[in-house]
Amino acid sequence: MTITMKKLIAGNWKMNGSLAANEALLKGLATGMPAPPRCAVAVCVPAPYLGQFRALANALPGLSAVDLGAQDVSSQVAGAFTGEVSASMLKDFGCRYVIVGHSERRQYHAETDAVVAQKAQQALAAGITPIVCVGETLAQREAGQTQAVVKRQLAAVIHANGHCISEIVVAYEPVWAIGTGKTATPDEAQAVHAVLRAQLKAATDQAARVKILYGGSMNAANAAWLLGQPDIDGGLIGGASLKAQDFLTIIAAAFA
Ligand code: PEP
């Protein structure tokens, strides 16, 4: 039986924004958002702006279909971890999603597969859906290691969260495609998504309902092409999520 599920388009604002810029962006989204959108929509904002999103979502009906996400979460529950933000804090602000294991965190903050798996665990325990990022570097792709790398990264999360693994979202983000303007071709992306789907199938009989997003220079021009692949269930969008019109065009391209 084929399960038809709504695609998910999630914006990753990264470390961009200000009170004024966020308000303009969110007002632009609220004004242009189809009612109801044919896909699920989320924005993953920097932690200091979670409250601003909440306040604006209360004031702008057009944002009612947009879920809130964060970009990281602590692997710890609470306590002496200066600078960290816990899953329960994100829950207090109504976060539905949190990105874990983004390649920028793996690269600049030395996050290991085990830490990423713990972060996913914290999110799930708080009732937040982790968007688990996996992806290979250019050197790994050229060495023919793409499948081995993404499978190793996902395996750590499956191992730590096996009983509720169908509750996660996976994002395949080839590192060489993030913020570079280079996108995986739909065939290249689909091939990796199929590998990830097979790995999920081996772990849960609910694998068909796990959304596997593609991320890496997805934009208004290439979204429909990528989102047309059978195992691409949405997108994690960086740069193009900072422009309301571009993000809305991607949302319009995403339907089951
Ligand atoms: C990302 O940061 O998750 C991302 C996909 O960025 P971009 O769309 O800018 O490549």
Side-chain angles (χ1 to χ4, degrees):
M1 188 185 68
T2 309
I3 297 178
T4 315
M5 63 177 152
K6 271 191 172 182
K7 293 195 192 299
L8 167 63
I9 299 298
N12 173 15
W13 289 4
K14 311 196 191 205
M15 197 172 71
N16 292 297
S18 64
L19 288 172
N22 303 344
E23 185 167 339
L25 175 53
L26 290 170
K27 280 185 172 163
L29 285 184
T31 307
M33 191 65 62
R38 289 187 293 177
C39 62
V41 180
V43 288
C44 300
V45 310
Y49 298 127
L50 293 170
Q52 184 195 19
F53 176 93
R54 231 346 100 242
L56 283 170
N58 287 338
L60 300 169
L63 285 186
S64 61
V66 179
D67 285 313
L68 180 58
Q71 298 174 14
D72 186 32
V73 65
S74 176
S75 60
Q76 305 298 319
V77 177
F81 300 101
T82 302
E84 292 286 275
V85 175
S86 72
S88 64
M89 293 172 188
L90 299 182
K91 193 69 183 171
D92 271 349
F93 281 90
C95 282
R96 170 142 187 207
Y97 299 100
V98 62
I99 298 170
V100 298
H102 192 282
S103 64
E104 288 152 13
R105 297 218 49 97
R106 292 180 191 260
Q107 185 179 351
Y108 305 130
H109 301 270
E111 287 189 7
T112 62
D113 293 342
V115 166
V116 173
Q118 278 174 3
K119 290 184 173 202
Q121 212 167 20
Q122 289 299 328
L124 288 165
I128 298 173
T129 301
I131 300 177
V132 178
C133 298
V134 299
E136 81 288 3
T137 63
L138 185 57
Q140 289 166 333
R141 173 162 280 264
E142 287 175 349
Q145 295 167 349
T146 299
Q147 291 194 16
V149 170
V150 298
K151 284 170 81 173
R152 188 203 72 223
Q153 292 171 331
L154 183 57
V157 177
I158 292 173
H159 180 70
N161 298 280
H163 57 291
C164 44
I165 203 64
S166 61
E167 304 303 318
I168 72 169
V169 168
V170 179
Y172 169 53
E173 297 210 308
V175 179
W176 48 272
I178 296 178
T180 59
K182 285 184 205 151
T183 320
T185 65
D187 285 351
E188 283 170 341
Q190 167 58 29
V192 178
H193 282 231
V195 166
L196 294 169
R197 182 85 64 204
Q199 189 177 5
L200 288 163
K201 271 191 187 144
T204 170
D205 57 7
Q206 300 292 308
R209 28 175 297 239
V210 178
K211 289 184 171 72
I212 308 178
L213 314 183
Y214 170 80
S217 298
M218 189 186 276
N219 58 38
N222 61 28
W225 204 28
L226 286 157
L227 293 168
Q229 299 304 305
D231 285 298
I232 300 187
D233 306 314
L236 182 56
I237 323 292
S241 71
L242 297 173
K243 294 182 195 137
Q245 196 45 56
D246 288 7
F247 197 51
L248 287 166
T249 303
I250 296 170
I251 290 165
F255 51 90

